[in-house]
């Protein structure tokens, strides 16, 4: 193995990635009183907002991920996408949303997160989701399960279960993206409760068993789902749960998905 191949294959430490996410959360909170929001009109979404907090957190995360391993490229919501002809050769790369739930952040909600995932061979190997306003951390690494740390409490392992339709479903859905398509999807399911959450916390609620399924009928981007996908996949008691997500597609957009049934 060449020196470059060895450097590329070095697995970053999950603890180091967690530290980066937590520090990025502190950066975000400094901007909370004055978010300075504006529309960025990229990725085909003319109403997508960006704030000073998004950009500052992105700078912090990308700078520190490059220090961990400068040979691992980064896909981030706040970095102009590299063309697919270049990206398609990437084996391992970071997928980052420095402030997921920007609309919730602007509204003053606590449900915004820092999302960092490491994808290898099109599968998320580790994922970190940090909610700075609540000091709430979820993380996972392939083969080592999914975990939750609430404030200063010790981390606890979290598990999800395949839902029993006979008992009815607890559905978690977006606080900011209601849709007629979702209502149509749910009308034929035995729904006993609907709960609402912002950002990637919806993945975490399924991963810890607080909800059974998370259906999303509208488009998302890879950085919206990668960390949550990793946490959900590794929340099984044995092996892994499965999802439909793939990564480093020619378009980084995802279509409709439902997690929780597999």
């Amino acid at each position: 193995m060449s020196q470059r191949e060895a450097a590329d294959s070095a697995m970053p430490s999950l603890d180091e990635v967690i530290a980066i996410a937590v520090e990025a959360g502190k950066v975000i909170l400094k901007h909370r009183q004055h978010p300075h929001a504006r529309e960025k009109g990229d990725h085909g979404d003319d109403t997508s907002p960006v704030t000073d907090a998004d950009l500052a957190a992105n700078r912090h995360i990308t700078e520190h991920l490059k220090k961990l391993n400068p040979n691992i490229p980064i896909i981030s919501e706040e970095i102009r996408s590299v063309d697919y002809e270049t990206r398609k050769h990437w084996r391992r790369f970071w997928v980052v949303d420095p402030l997921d739930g920007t609309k919730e952040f602007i509204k003053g909600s606590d449900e915004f997160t820092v999302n960092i995932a490491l994808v290898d061979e099109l599968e998320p190997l580790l994922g970190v989701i940090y909610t700075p306003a609540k000091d709430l951390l979820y993380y996972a690494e392939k083969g080592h399960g999914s975990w939750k740390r609430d404030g200063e409490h010790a981390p606890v392992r979290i598990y999800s279960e395949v839902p029993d339709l006979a008992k009815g479903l607890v559905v978690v859905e977006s606080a900011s993206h209601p849709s007629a398509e979702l209502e149509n999807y749910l009308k034929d399911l035995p729904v006993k409760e609907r709960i609402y959450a912002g950002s990637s916390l919806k993945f975490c609620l399924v991963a810890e068993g607080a909800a059974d399924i998370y259906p999303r009928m509208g488009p998302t981007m890879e950085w919206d789902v990668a960390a949550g996908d990793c946490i959900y996949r590794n929340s099984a008691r044995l092996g892994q749960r499965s999802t439909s997500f793939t990564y480093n597609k020619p378009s980084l957009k995802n279509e409709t998905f439902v997690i929780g049934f597999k």
Side-chain angles (χ1 to χ4, degrees), residues 23 54 57 70 118 165 187 237 242 260:
E23 288 302 313
D54 293 81
L118 182 67
L165 294 179
K187 68 181 177 62
R237 293 187 182 274
S242 64

Side-chain angles (χ1 to χ4, degrees), residues 21 155 216 256:
R216 178 62 184 264
T256 295

